[in-house]
Amino acid sequence: MLRQLSLFMVPLLLVGIPLYGVLKKQPVYELFVEGAAEGVQMALQILPYLLAMLVAISVFRASGAFQALAGLLTPLTDALGIPAAVLPLALMRSFSGSGALAMTADILQQEGPDSFTGLLASVLQGSTDTTFYILAVYFGAVGIKKYRYALTVGLAADAASFLSSFIICLLLFSG
């Protein structure tokens, strides 16, 4: 029953929303075109921030700074018993969702989806956010230039999510 309902939800929305606008006597097509034009303007406004972030991520990874940071944190994670394979994922997640997803897929392929490392990677993937992407794209879109505190809070939230993911997985999935 639910499966059949879910198959019709998208077509129902695609028909229902314009139909609602017509019933409310709104110029549906004109409003759609106006919204699309605003979307293109927003995309053009965001593009420089997005490109700057992508270049910065590429430079960070190509310079070896990413691996150096992971190397600095390895003794701490080893002492806590955190699998070494998830540390690069935890660092990448703050920068790039698609990069982190690729790392998660690699971890699942190498370690297995039912391993503690695979489960931790999966929980971590769903628990953290792309802090630098948010700052670059969303803050750039609305013109916020002073984001020092947002960066601090975002990175603190990422660290808390990483540790919470580990603790939860340890409680639920170990021995």
Side-chain angles (χ1 to χ4, degrees):
M1 173 68 179
L2 281 176
R3 182 161 169 75
Q4 268 111 13
L5 181 64
S6 68
L7 292 174
F8 290 104
M9 286 309 294
V10 171
L12 184 65
L13 287 172
L14 289 175
V15 171
I17 291 172
L19 184 62
Y20 178 77
V22 168
L23 292 174
K24 289 289 191 175
K25 297 187 181 1
Q26 296 293 316
V28 175
Y29 182 74
E30 290 81 3
L31 290 172
F32 174 78
V33 170
E34 184 181 319
E38 287 177 18
V40 169
Q41 281 295 102
M42 183 63 69
L44 290 174
Q45 188 177 3
I46 290 173
L47 189 62
Y49 297 99
L50 186 59
L51 288 175
M53 185 203 62
L54 292 173
V55 168
I57 290 170
S58 296
V59 168
F60 185 66
R61 291 185 75 189
S63 70
F66 183 78
Q67 291 300 335
L69 182 59
L72 285 173
L73 295 173
T74 298
L76 176 65
T77 57
D78 286 347
L80 294 172
I82 297 171
V86 297
L87 184 57
L89 169 63
L91 295 173
M92 178 55 76
R93 187 71 176 121
S94 293
F95 290 97
S96 168
S98 57
L101 186 59
M103 286 182 156
T104 301
D106 189 47
I107 289 170
L108 294 176
Q109 181 130 25
Q110 288 180 4
E111 303 286 334
D114 293 330
S115 68
F116 180 77
T117 304
L119 293 167
L120 177 57
S122 299
V123 171
L124 182 62
Q125 180 71 21
S127 301
T128 57
D129 211 339
T130 53
T131 301
F132 290 99
Y133 179 85
I134 290 168
L135 292 176
V137 175
Y138 298 127
F139 280 40
V142 295
I144 297 173
K145 303 250 188 277
K146 296 179 183 178
Y147 53 82
R148 180 180 63 179
Y149 296 115
L151 175 62
T152 304
V153 169
L155 291 176
D158 288 343
S161 294
F162 175 65
L163 290 174
S164 298
S165 296
F166 174 67
I167 291 168
I168 288 168
C169 285
L170 201 59
L171 292 172
L172 293 177
F173 303 123
S174 69

